[in-house]
């Protein structure tokens, strides 16, 4: 062999790799792969060990890439995708012009009597449930898993109380009839907005996506807090605290992905992912090991398939997954 | 330890047999034991071979030799075996080139150093798998990435991708072909990961 001669196999790796990639992409992405095609491929692989190793290498890459689809089903694009970001940007631009609320109005709401709870219609979802309620005024409310609300919407009256869970409100503007939502002693009043409320053990999170709304505490004998929310604001209220933070739009989009039946996690700890998924399922994931709980993950998990996540834990993290009926134990 | 069950020590037993092993076994052994060594192997070749343009060919030749040898017997220590195979290949190539650069004398030491490196951390690889996939996707050229995202995240077939991207099916093929090869280089390549097709 002389200097610069091809390798002993007499083949150039790049062109072999290109052939292997062509076989694979034809088989994987296009319709009409036949038995004859498979035979031809088998023959090509058998022809030389160089073909075989190049094929195996790309085939295993493709196998690994398939994990993308287990994580992001339902045709979901990556949350950082320009498409979804652009969409959100547009939503936000439309809203800015929509509403004005004066702080003066706030104090007026603050002294409104607490509306009697027994009135109105009850709507509820069970574990893993999700439903959309169309109200007679054109507004809609989407209930997430394990949620219970009471809605009293009729001529001249727009009142909802959230007893537990999480809901997304898309409210039609009616200047004469503000839409009022009570949750855990906090009152959210809005004038044509989109916002979500999540209630969990006395902690209330209100995320405002569009328009403007106020939140005030109306519980007797507690210190009163009040704030006006603008798009991107997340108010976190407990019995005696109220804090507001601004979250970036992509984060908000992820937090509301449940509306599409998805939970999107970005660098989330395994134990937090498990806790979130447990909200949707009778079966509960238990992460036994603290170290395991600290592993981080990027994932989109369908809310109706807790096992999609346990499969990832097993296949991607190599963790042990034991299904014990109502509990799924995840450990090393 | 995470992932030990996947590391497949049961193959040590099989490796003691003199019988030929079938292609399926070799394929799965290759993917499980040898491909994760690609960064170590590529690094070794780069360090010991001056013509960087030949490294991909050399790497393929090492893979071919390793798999041929595995047909007879699986090596007990895949990393050591891969590096010894690489060293022998380089020596063969040096001999045939009739010009022995001084650096070649260092190859035995280089082998020892490389062999002392911790093996690719399979736990870390598993843990980072999703992030790596995302990072890998993000490194693809934009049209190529678009095609791969349509295929793998949106689950579209080739002709649907062609419609969405408004390009011909053969262009889609080219993007997917390229995407797959770049992805392999990023996923199995060196950690600094300058992907080259």
């Amino acid at each position: 062999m002389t200097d610069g001669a091809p390798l002993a196999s007499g083949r150039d790796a790049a062109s072999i790799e290109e052939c292997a990639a062509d076989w694979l992409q034809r088989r994987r992405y296009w319709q009409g792969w036949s038995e004859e095609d498979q035979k031809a491929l088998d023959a090509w692989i058998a022809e030389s060990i160089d073909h075989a190793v190049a094929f195996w290498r790309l085939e295993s890459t493709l196998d690994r890439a398939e994990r993308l689809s287990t994580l992001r089903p339902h045709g979901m694009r990556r949350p950082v995708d320009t498409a979804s970001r652009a969409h959100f940007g547009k939503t936000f631009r439309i809203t800015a012009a929509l509403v004005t609320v004066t702080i003066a109005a706030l104090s007026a709401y603050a002294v409104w009597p607490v509306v009697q709870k027994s009135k109105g219609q009850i709507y509820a979802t069970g574990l893993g449930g999700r439903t959309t309620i169309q109200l007679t005024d054109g507004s809609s409310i989407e209930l997430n898993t394990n949620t219970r609300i009471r809605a009293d919407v009729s001529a001249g009256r727009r009142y909802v109380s959230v007893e537990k869970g999480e809901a997304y409100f898309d409210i039609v503007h009616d200047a004469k009839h503000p839409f009022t939502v009570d949750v855990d002693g906090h009152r959210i009043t809005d004038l044509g907005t989109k916002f979500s409320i999540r209630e969990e053990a006395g902690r209330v999170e209100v995320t405002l996506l569009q328009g403007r709304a106020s939140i005030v505490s109306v519980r007797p004998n507690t210190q009163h807090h009040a704030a006006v929310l603008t798009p991107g604001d997340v108010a976190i209220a407990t019995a005696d605290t109220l804090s507001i933070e601004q979250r970036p739009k992509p984060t908000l989009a992820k937090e509301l992905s449940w509306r599409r039946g998805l939970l999107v996690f970005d660098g989330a700890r395994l134990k937090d992912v498990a806790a979130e998924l447990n909200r949707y399922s009778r079966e509960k994931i238990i992460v036994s090991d603290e170290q395991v709980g600290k592993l981080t993950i990027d994932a989109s998990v369908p809310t109706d398939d807790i096992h999609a996540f346990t499969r990832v834990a097993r296949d991607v993290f190599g963790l042990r997954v034991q299904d014990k009926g109502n509990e799924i134990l995840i450990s090393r | 330890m995470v992932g030990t069950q996947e590391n497949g020590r049961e193959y040590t037993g099989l490796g003691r047999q003199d019988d030929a092993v079938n292609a399926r076994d070799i394929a799965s052994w290759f993917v499980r034991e040898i491909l994760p060594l690609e960064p170590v192997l590529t690094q070794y070749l780069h360090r010991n071979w001056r013509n960087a343009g030949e490294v991909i060919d050399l790497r393929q030749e090492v893979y071919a030799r390793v798999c041929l040898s595995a047909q007879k017997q699986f090596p007990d220590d895949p990393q050591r075996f891969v590096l010894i195979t690489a060293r022998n290949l380089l020596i063969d190539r040096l001999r045939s080139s009739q010009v022995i650069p001084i650096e070649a004398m260092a190859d035995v030491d280089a082998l020892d150093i490389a062999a002392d490196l911790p093996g690719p951390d399979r736990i870390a690889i598993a843990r980072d798998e999703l992030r790596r996939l995302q990072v890998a996707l993000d490194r693809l050229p934009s049209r190529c990435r678009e095609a791969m995202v349509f295929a793998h995240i949106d689950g579209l077939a080739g002709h649907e991708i062609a419609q969405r991207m408004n390009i011909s099916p053969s262009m889609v093929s080219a993007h997917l072909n390229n995407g797959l090869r770049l992805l392999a280089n990023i996923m199995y390549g060196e950690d600094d990961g300058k992907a080259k097709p």
Side-chain angles (χ1 to χ4, degrees):
Chain A
M1 214 203 280
T2 57
D3 190 23
L7 297 165
S9 61
R11 301 296 297 268
D12 135 47
S15 54
I16 292 175
E17 190 184 80
E18 204 173 329
C19 275
D22 255 330
W23 284 110
L24 275 164
Q25 64 98 3
R26 268 182 53 206
R27 185 173 72 176
R28 167 62 177 77
Y29 305 115
W30 302 89
Q31 291 165 343
W33 181 259
S34 67
E35 253 176 67
E36 283 69 42
D37 291 327
Q38 184 60 46
K39 273 182 197 155
L41 168 59
D42 289 342
W44 183 81
I45 293 171
E47 207 175 293
S48 117
I49 191 80
D50 295 310
H51 294 183
V53 293
F55 184 83
W56 294 336
R57 180 170 176 272
L58 293 182
E59 189 184 35
S60 80
T61 304
L62 195 52
D63 285 345
R64 288 171 76 180
E66 301 299 358
R67 284 178 182 144
L68 286 166
S69 67
T70 29
L71 296 185
R72 305 193 183 275
H74 305 337
M76 228 290 285
R77 302 281 292 276
R78 276 161 50 74
V80 293
D81 234 80
T82 46
S84 59
R85 204 184 274 156
H87 171 71
F88 260 80
K90 196 162 47 175
T91 314
F92 275 82
R93 273 197 304 279
I94 293 167
T95 48
L98 265 177
V99 202
T100 49
V101 165
T102 58
I103 299 285
L106 261 183
S107 49
Y109 298 144
V111 293
W112 276 10
V114 174
V115 182
Q116 228 185 337
K117 277 198 171 175
S118 55
K119 288 187 85 174
Q121 172 82 42
I122 287 174
Y123 300 94
T125 54
L127 285 170
R130 200 170 86 237
T131 190
T132 302
I133 302 157
Q134 287 297 339
L135 301 174
T136 50
D137 68 345
S139 303
S140 65
I141 307 173
E142 285 178 56
L143 305 187
N144 198 4
T145 177
N146 200 21
T147 298
R148 186 179 154 99
I149 69 164
R150 187 185 294 271
D152 181 9
V153 176
S154 49
R157 187 173 166 79
R158 303 204 291 169
Y159 174 78
V160 167
S161 77
V162 174
E163 295 177 9
K164 65 170 181 174
E166 185 171 14
Y168 175 85
F169 294 79
D170 187 345
I171 303 307
V172 171
H173 179 50
D174 179 352
K176 287 183 188 148
H177 305 105
F179 199 101
T180 306
V181 182
D182 274 353
V183 50
D184 278 351
H186 307 280
R187 174 164 298 169
I188 295 103
T189 306
D190 89 304
L191 294 157
T193 64
K194 295 181 200 282
F195 64 101
S196 76
I197 295 179
R198 175 166 170 176
E199 192 280 334
E200 205 163 23
R203 180 183 184 276
V204 176
E205 211 174 290
V206 180
T207 304
L208 191 83
L209 292 156
Q210 191 175 317
R212 205 173 275 234
S214 65
I215 175 168
V216 297
S217 55
V218 290
R219 185 178 293 162
N221 308 322
T222 56
Q223 206 186 332
H224 282 204
H225 306 274
V228 173
L229 305 179
T230 55
D233 277 346
V234 179
I236 296 157
T238 62
D240 39 34
T241 63
L242 174 66
S243 64
I244 312 281
E245 64 181 61
Q246 184 83 28
R247 286 188 197 157
K249 288 159 197 172
T251 308
L252 297 180
K254 271 176 234 168
E255 288 172 358
L256 284 169
S257 57
W258 61 264
R259 297 178 54 219
R260 289 168 302 177
L262 269 186
L263 297 176
V264 181
F265 302 101
D266 202 0
R269 288 182 307 180
L270 219 57
K271 66 170 198 183
D272 297 330
V273 175
E276 191 63 21
L277 283 172
N278 286 344
R279 290 177 60 212
Y280 293 82
S281 166
R282 202 165 303 282
E283 286 175 281
K284 304 296 181 198
I285 297 172
I286 296 174
V287 180
S288 59
D289 181 313
E290 203 171 311
Q291 288 304 316
V292 172
K294 284 181 186 160
L295 296 174
T296 59
I297 185 171
D298 294 345
S300 297
V301 186
T303 55
D304 59 359
D305 187 6
I306 200 167
H307 295 284
F309 171 71
T310 59
R311 279 196 299 276
V312 169
R314 189 190 62 209
D315 297 343
V316 178
F317 286 79
L319 298 173
R320 182 150 31 136
V321 174
Q322 293 164 278
D323 200 336
K324 299 194 164 178
N326 283 334
E327 290 182 351
I328 304 169
L329 295 178
I330 296 185
S331 59
R332 275 175 196 259
Chain B
M1 194 162 64
V2 182
T4 24
Q5 66 273 41
E6 288 177 10
N7 291 350
R9 290 286 158 246
E10 69 269 28
Y11 275 83
T12 333
L14 191 56
R16 306 245 182 263
Q17 295 173 359
D18 283 336
D19 300 333
V21 194
N22 76 42
R24 267 184 93 84
D25 289 342
I26 292 177
S28 60
W29 171 81
F30 173 74
V31 168
R32 198 183 50 245
E33 298 287 335
I34 304 303
L35 275 182
L37 300 171
E38 190 162 304
V40 176
L41 171 61
T42 314
Q43 188 191 355
Y44 176 81
L45 293 171
H46 272 297
R47 198 187 293 165
N48 292 286
W49 198 254
R50 281 190 296 179
N51 187 347
E54 291 179 330
V55 162
I56 291 173
D57 287 331
L58 291 167
R59 191 182 69 200
Q60 157 133 318
E61 180 65 13
V62 170
Y63 285 157
R65 288 187 180 195
V66 164
C67 287
L68 281 176
S69 163
Q71 285 182 320
K72 292 177 224 124
Q73 184 178 337
F74 286 113
D76 286 335
D77 182 342
Q79 175 164 317
R80 189 164 179 78
F81 187 69
V82 163
L83 292 173
I84 288 171
T85 306
R87 183 188 62 180
N88 292 345
L89 173 65
L90 296 187
I91 290 170
D92 287 354
R93 296 270 281 156
L94 288 170
R95 282 201 187 114
S96 67
S97 77
Q98 316 239 312
V99 180
I100 302 196
I102 288 161
E103 300 97 289
M105 304 308 292
D107 72 32
V108 177
D109 292 338
L111 172 64
D112 287 340
I113 293 162
D116 284 344
L117 290 172
D121 187 340
R122 290 188 171 90
I123 303 164
I125 287 170
R127 188 177 303 161
D128 293 344
E129 181 79 354
L130 293 161
R131 196 169 284 283
R132 284 172 74 100
L133 276 165
Q134 287 186 333
V135 167
L137 269 185
D138 285 341
R139 287 217 206 126
L140 300 179
S142 64
R143 293 295 271 173
C144 178
R145 173 180 183 275
E146 205 179 331
M148 293 299 276
V149 166
F150 277 136
H152 284 278
I153 295 177
D154 297 289
L156 301 184
H159 66 275
E160 295 169 310
I161 300 173
Q163 278 173 4
R164 287 281 191 98
M165 294 179 69
N166 198 22
I167 54 176
S168 68
S170 63
M171 277 305 291
V172 174
S173 281
H175 284 312
L176 293 171
N177 182 316
N178 211 19
L180 191 53
R181 297 167 65 200
L182 288 168
L183 218 50
N185 287 352
I186 298 166
M187 300 296 287
Y188 289 117
E190 290 167 287
D191 287 330
D192 69 350
K194 295 277 185 297
K196 299 175 212 97

